[in-house]
């Protein structure tokens, strides 16, 4: 499958879907507190998505070899790397969690995730992991420019992980996105040494590094979805959907409630 170059109309459709995905996270932020059940957060987000004329891309999603995904979003707590299924489990002080939202609006997919911390007494190691993974994602995004190899993203992400003593998950990565959830290319968050894919204006893909505090290895639970670290060390992830432009990049999954941007992108990125 080839990497598609999006038309101006498709780009406009993607801007709308992506902004809505980010707004879902703005909306849920005040509810991410100790005692909240993840199934209730999921239900709230699904209602917000539907109220805004969209549907969840995750609900019922069933790639080959998978059972249909039962949630509207993914909520991955502590050592859960990704694809955490919303459940009766309640959040507790000190937890770190990722909420990953993908909406379909007018046929276009918008995909983004953020980390949250529960209470104000998160461990130093957990806070470091969350913050370093944020920097990792933004360094990866900031490496995007037309004419550069896609691998520049992986190189930039891996540099941050190494400097911070964290490991990069290899099995999952970013992906092209548009009128489909997962398109080419597959975006590695480490240096693959493969410089064959050259970025071109109009490409849209996600940058979504997963970093572990311990070893990079992962395993899937028997529910067929939940991915955890083998060593049960903490894992973090942030995600944006990004357009390659004539001069650089445009981050599509931003909205009013987005957290503070790192200094090195402040004058290049607008909410
Ligand atoms: N949003 C995830 C991604 O970034 C995919 C979740 S698939 C689901 O690609 F079925 F688990 F929701
Ligand atoms: Co994604
Ligand atoms: Co996602």
């Amino acid at each position: 499958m080839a990497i598609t170059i999006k038309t101006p109309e498709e780009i406009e459709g993607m801007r709308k879907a992506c902004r809505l995905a980010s707004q879902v996270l703005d909306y849920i932020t005040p509810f991410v507190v100790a005692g909240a059940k993840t199934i209730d957060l999921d239900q709230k987000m699904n209602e917000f998505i539907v109220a805004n004329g969209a549907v969840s891309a995750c609900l019922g999603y069933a790639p080959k070899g998978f059972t249909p995904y039962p949630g509207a979003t993914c909520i991955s707590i502590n050592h859960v790397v990704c694809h955490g299924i919303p459940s009766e489990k309640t959040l507790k002080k000190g937890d770190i969690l990722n909420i990953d939202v993908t909406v379909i609006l007018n046929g276009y997919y918008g995909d983004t995730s953020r980390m949250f911390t529960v209470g104000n007494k998160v461990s130093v190691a957990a806070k470091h992991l969350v913050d370093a993974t944020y920097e990792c994602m933004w360094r990866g995004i900031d490496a995007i420019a037309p004419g550069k190899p896609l691998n520049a993203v992986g190189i930039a992400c891996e540099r941050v992980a190494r400097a911070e003593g964290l490991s990069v998950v290899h099995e999952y990565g970013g992906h092209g996105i548009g009128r489909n959830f997962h398109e080419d290319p597959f975006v590695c968050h480490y240096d693959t040494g493969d410089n064959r894919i050259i970025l071109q204006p109009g490409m849209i893909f996600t940058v979504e590094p997963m970093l572990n505090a311990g070893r990079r290895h992962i395993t899937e639970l028997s529910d067929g979805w939940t991915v955890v670290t083998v060593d049960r060390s903490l894992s973090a992830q942030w995600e944006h959907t990004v357009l390659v432009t004539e001069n650089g990049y445009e981050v599509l999954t931003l909205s009013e409630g987005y957290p503070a941007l790192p200094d090195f992108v402040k004058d290049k990125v607008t909410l």
Side-chain angles (χ1 to χ4, degrees), residues 100-102 111-113 173-177 181-182 206-208 210 237 239-241:
D100 193 338
V101 171
T102 311
D111 186 6
T112 188
S113 79
H175 48 92
I177 184 167
F181 200 160
H182 295 107
T206 70
V207 177
E208 49 178 306
M210 297 166 210
Q237 180 183 25
E239 176 176 22
H240 275 305
T241 300

Side-chain angles (χ1 to χ4, degrees), residues 32-219:
V32 183
V33 295
K37 281 185 168 57
T38 59
I39 190 104
D40 293 338
L41 298 177
D42 187 68
Q43 196 195 321
K44 277 192 161 65
M45 288 187 279
N46 196 43
E47 285 166 3
F48 184 92
I49 291 166
V50 170
N52 282 279
V55 294
S56 160
C58 299
L59 194 57
Y61 182 57
K64 251 201 183 73
F66 284 79
T67 54
Y69 185 75
T73 67
C74 299
I75 304 183
S76 304
I77 306 172
N78 295 334
H79 65 281
V80 179
V81 175
C82 62
H83 304 166
I85 299 173
S87 72
E88 294 295 322
K89 200 176 157 69
T90 58
L91 299 178
K92 56 183 196 313
K93 286 180 187 167
D95 283 344
I96 62 168
L97 64 145
N98 173 276
I99 304 183
D100 193 338
V101 171
T102 311
V103 303
I104 313 170
L105 180 66
N106 300 322
Y108 295 101
Y109 287 68
D111 186 6
T112 188
S113 79
R114 299 182 196 163
M115 291 300 293
F116 297 84
T117 53
V118 183
N120 40 22
K121 287 207 316 266
V122 172
S123 75
V124 171
K127 178 91 170 74
H128 172 252
L129 174 65
V130 170
D131 293 348
T133 306
Y134 191 59
E135 162 148 13
C136 175
M137 174 193 64
W138 278 110
R139 288 286 179 196
I141 291 169
D142 202 40
I144 296 172
K148 283 170 72 177
L150 174 64
N151 190 36
V153 173
I155 292 171
C157 288
E158 185 175 353
R159 181 177 297 137
V160 174
R162 279 180 187 276
E164 301 296 336
L166 303 167
S167 60
V168 179
V169 171
H170 285 199
E171 293 82 356
Y172 293 90
H175 48 92
I177 184 167
R179 290 177 174 281
N180 306 286
F181 200 160
H182 295 107
E183 303 182 351
D184 278 348
F186 184 78
V187 181
C188 292
H189 301 104
Y190 58 94
D191 181 5
T192 61
D194 180 348
N195 292 322
R196 287 177 297 183
I197 297 177
I198 303 299
L199 299 177
Q200 291 173 48
M203 289 180 176
I204 298 181
F205 54 84
T206 70
V207 177
E208 49 178 306
M210 297 166 210
L211 301 193
N212 300 343
R215 304 199 58 168
R216 70 170 180 80
H217 306 93
I218 57 165
T219 187

